[in-house]
Amino acid sequence: MLRLFDTLTKKKQKLLTREDGKVSIYVCGPTVYDYSHLGHARVYVVFDTVVRYLRSTGREVRYVRNFTDVDDKIIARAQERGMDPMALAREFIEAFAEDMDRLNVSRADVEPLVSEHVPEIVEVIERIQEAGLAYESDGTVFFSVRGHEAYGKLSGRNLDDLRSGARVEVDSSKRDPLDFALWKAAKPGEPCWPSPWGEGRPGWHIECSAMSTKYLGVDFDIHGGGMDLIFPHHENEIAQSEAAFGTAFARYWMHNGFVNLNAEKMSKSTGNFFTLRELFAKVEPEAIRLFLLSVQYRHPINFTVEDHGEEGARFPDLEEAQVRTDYFYETLCKLEELLAPMKPPGEGDVLPELLAARQSFSEAMDDDFNTAAALAPTGELFRLANRLMEEPTFAPKKLRRRTLWRLRHELTAVGDVLGLWQEPAADYLSRRLEVAARCRGVDPAWVEERIAARAAARAARDFSTADAIRQELAERGVELMDSAQTTRWRFA
RNA sequence: GGCGGCAUAGCCAAGUGGUAAGGCAGAGGUCUGCAAAACCUCCAUUCAUCGGUUCGAAUCCGAUUGCCGCCUCCA
């Protein structure tokens, strides 16, 4: 039975969806004014994994994730760069898609843009006005927070505490400092659309109410996003949507924890961040995905950066995930090579360790998508594969064969859920080698030539020459791995 | 000031009442001409501290200490 932690009730709840076997999910997407960083990646990797897991259990999922392409920050950035805000947004939507592709984040089923949903947004605002919870002032429309009784239920706040803590400069046209804009009157040179209140553009929160309900209905199943969106963004979404539609909005709320850098919140406003592109230059994107999945999604995740002078920044946590990713692919590659010439085995039992690990994986995922816990049985599947390959006497021949065949199948299934090992293992490994060779200025052809020379020496039982070649290669960081048939190599 | 979270081995980390998963590092071993890889074994009588509840607590309650987040754009 799948259970998930619901921010609204602050408890793990059984997932009881609106329609049996179907899940509708909306996740707040990025505001596209700059490149994404690791914190953004976490949200989309987490919810991608949620969707992947739900689908793997046979549920039909409809996943909507928007792009905020109309926003103060986009306008400000475009003005700095002297370009059109909509063009700037398009540029970063593309960059976002590229970054997510590299992290194996699948596209959402619907990826709506604010700029293409202004009429729907206007309609929702009109409904709120009809409900008496919105007021206009000089072409700007505000939501009247105090008119909505349940305001604060998601974030556990009460209005008076908020008021005393408000540090924001009060907009004099608001009736109450807590009120927020549904529609903003246009300033010269800004993107704008016609509306009953004159030319203007949507406020930030209203877009999600309009687009989620358009594609999923009002009482859709799961609404997700980063922790920081709980207040005020999601609180405001609830207030608006309930005011506009008169019914409860979204059944479950899921929020992921932050990514910290050297134990401090990673944030663009403080400059304390690395873009994904900077990180991709240092480690495989898949290692980053593994790193993000190695901590329960609601807990904060910390990564450290070390300054290595000329070598530049290094990220020990990501490098550890990189080593693990290499181990996964090396095992998969060996498994593939072993099974490729084999005929599929017949029906029959497999080792119970395999079934137990597979079961543990599902139980961990069923418990609030606990990928960190699920990685333990995943590691057991790899260890079992290696053991069966290296230690043929570990199991009787037929059992061994069936288990290895089944392991390949299960690892594919598990990888599809986690969004890992999506690349052919041999491709991954050869690319890793090429990249490393280029970084170190070593010519792979030369390495191959030396390996051939060593093989000849070994065949002649001239071990001192063989060892000299090993030493020669080692001085350039090349590590040799002999097996019965061939010699593989890599960088230490 | 208000609200909330976290504290588990050298490091990362799972674990919300039944006697501490997993990874990295480390030690020993198997295999190997040597080595690497892989595999095997070992590595927290104990979960920030102090009290309490319970037959039983890392898990529940109270207090203390330390760290972090939100209350303003933020993933």
Side-chain angles (χ1 to χ4, degrees):
Chain A
M1 181 43 124
L2 178 64
R3 300 191 317 148
L4 53 83
F5 185 89
D6 172 36
T7 310
L8 194 56
T9 54
K10 295 174 181 59
K11 285 194 184 92
K12 281 186 191 171
Q13 305 282 6
K14 289 178 184 169
L15 178 63
L16 299 171
T17 52
R18 183 172 56 185
E19 278 183 85
D20 221 28
K22 294 188 180 182
V23 185
S24 45
I25 174 165
Y26 183 91
V27 170
C28 291
T31 300
V32 279
Y33 70 103
D34 204 344
Y35 293 112
S36 299
H37 62 219
L38 238 203
H40 300 109
R42 188 177 195 193
V43 186
Y44 307 115
V45 164
V46 162
F47 285 101
D48 178 55
T49 307
V50 166
V51 169
R52 285 167 175 272
Y53 182 64
L54 291 171
R55 289 193 168 130
S56 80
T57 62
R59 293 171 169 92
E60 189 184 312
V61 179
R62 185 163 162 84
Y63 178 29
V64 179
R65 189 192 61 210
N66 69 297
F67 283 106
T68 298
D69 66 341
V70 179
D71 170 89
D72 292 350
K73 287 195 294 290
I74 297 171
I75 293 167
R77 181 63 54 89
Q79 276 169 356
E80 279 167 31
R81 286 175 48 170
M83 64 188 289
D84 171 51
M86 297 314 294
L88 181 95
R90 271 195 301 279
E91 179 186 327
F92 286 111
I93 285 173
E94 252 171 66
F96 176 84
E98 284 168 17
D99 291 344
M100 293 303 121
D101 283 350
R102 298 198 69 185
L103 290 167
N104 292 335
V105 171
S106 303
R107 303 292 166 97
D109 299 301
V110 186
E111 300 190 337
L113 305 179
V114 174
S115 61
E116 294 174 359
H117 291 79
V118 174
E120 289 89 338
I121 290 167
V122 167
E123 196 191 316
V124 175
I125 298 173
E126 284 178 316
R127 295 178 79 127
I128 297 169
Q129 263 189 325
E130 283 160 27
L133 286 171
Y135 57 90
E136 191 214 327
S137 169
D138 288 333
T140 291
V141 183
F142 293 102
F143 184 85
S144 178
V145 164
R146 282 180 190 274
H148 183 74
E149 220 169 283
Y151 192 85
K153 69 179 177 182
L154 183 71
S155 53
R157 287 158 214 263
N158 72 65
L159 297 178
D160 297 316
D161 292 343
L162 285 172
R163 175 126 86 174
S164 62
R167 274 179 273 158
V168 66
E169 211 176 303
V170 176
D171 182 333
S172 58
S173 55
K174 287 183 187 179
R175 290 183 192 161
D176 187 291
L178 293 172
D179 293 348
F180 56 89
L182 297 166
W183 184 263
K184 295 181 175 184
K187 292 184 196 140
E190 293 182 352
C192 61
W193 289 261
S195 82
W197 318 284
E199 298 269 299
R201 59 192 167 92
W204 174 36
H205 314 294
I206 195 68
E207 63 185 65
C208 291
S209 294
M211 295 191 288
S212 61
T213 55
K214 174 177 178 181
Y215 293 103
L216 300 173
V218 179
D219 59 336
F220 62 92
D221 296 311
I222 299 172
H223 192 129
M227 222 57 154
D228 54 332
L229 297 182
I230 295 174
F231 188 90
H233 183 57
H234 288 163
E235 197 70 72
N236 291 352
E237 266 189 64
I238 291 175
Q240 290 163 350
S241 303
E242 291 184 350
F245 302 106
T247 56
F249 175 66
R251 301 162 72 92
Y252 302 96
W253 290 83
M254 288 177 69
H255 294 94
N256 65 277
F258 276 103
V259 177
N260 295 326
L261 177 58
N262 292 339
E264 292 294 326
K265 178 183 170 181
M266 212 165 77
S267 154
K268 289 206 169 163
S269 48
T270 58
N272 188 226
F273 72 98
F274 286 89
T275 64
L276 288 169
R277 289 164 183 233
E278 288 172 286
L279 299 177
F280 290 162
K282 301 277 184 177
V283 292
E284 284 289 323
E286 190 161 325
I288 295 174
R289 182 167 180 127
L290 176 66
F291 170 71
L292 292 172
L293 294 178
S294 69
V295 176
Q296 214 281 343
Y297 77 87
R298 284 185 288 122
H299 298 178
I301 186 171
N302 185 240
F303 81 115
T304 48
V305 56
E306 287 176 358
D307 183 12
H308 282 252
E310 286 182 17
E311 219 186 303
R314 290 188 59 175
F315 307 94
D317 305 285
L318 301 180
E319 284 171 17
E320 190 184 320
Q322 172 78 79
V323 167
R324 193 72 179 148
T325 302
D326 290 347
Y327 164 81
F328 290 151
Y329 271 113
E330 274 159 20
T331 304
L332 288 167
C333 189
K334 283 187 274 186
L335 188 59
E336 204 49 55
E337 282 171 9
L338 183 76
L339 295 184
M342 266 195 208
K343 278 185 292 191
E347 294 292 306
D349 289 344
V350 296
L351 280 172
E353 288 93 327
L354 186 163
L355 302 172
R358 192 63 179 80
Q359 169 88 12
S360 300
F361 178 84
S362 295
E363 282 169 6
M365 292 302 288
D366 268 345
D367 184 13
D368 197 26
F369 309 99
N370 193 336
T371 53
L375 284 171
T378 300
E380 280 169 37
L381 292 174
F382 280 95
R383 191 151 44 82
L384 187 60
N386 275 310
R387 188 164 193 182
L388 283 166
M389 288 190 286
E390 303 277 329
E391 200 182 319
T393 56
F394 180 60
K397 194 176 172 190
K398 283 189 173 168
L399 180 61
R400 172 173 177 262
R401 241 178 200 241
R402 278 196 300 268
T403 304
L404 281 167
W405 212 271
R406 179 72 174 274
L407 271 169
R408 178 168 66 175
H409 175 261
E410 296 299 344
L411 285 172
T412 302
V414 166
D416 283 345
V417 170
L418 297 175
L420 300 175
W421 328 313
Q422 301 294 294
E423 190 176 354
D427 293 2
Y428 171 91
L429 293 172
S430 62
R431 184 166 44 73
R432 283 276 289 145
L433 214 51
E434 278 166 33
V435 170
R438 205 179 313 128
C439 283
R440 308 207 185 199
V442 172
D443 178 10
W446 173 78
V447 174
E448 296 293 347
E449 184 274 313
R450 297 314 294 154
I451 287 174
R454 175 168 168 275
R458 289 178 76 210
R461 301 197 68 77
D462 177 3
F463 293 121
S464 63
T465 301
D467 287 350
I469 294 172
R470 178 192 284 288
Q471 185 56 35
E472 185 188 2
L473 288 165
E475 277 159 18
R476 287 167 176 76
V478 175
E479 195 170 73
L480 301 181
M481 296 179 288
D482 293 330
S483 70
Q485 304 81 20
T486 179
T487 296
R488 296 157 56 132
W489 61 280
R490 66 173 195 182
F491 289 93

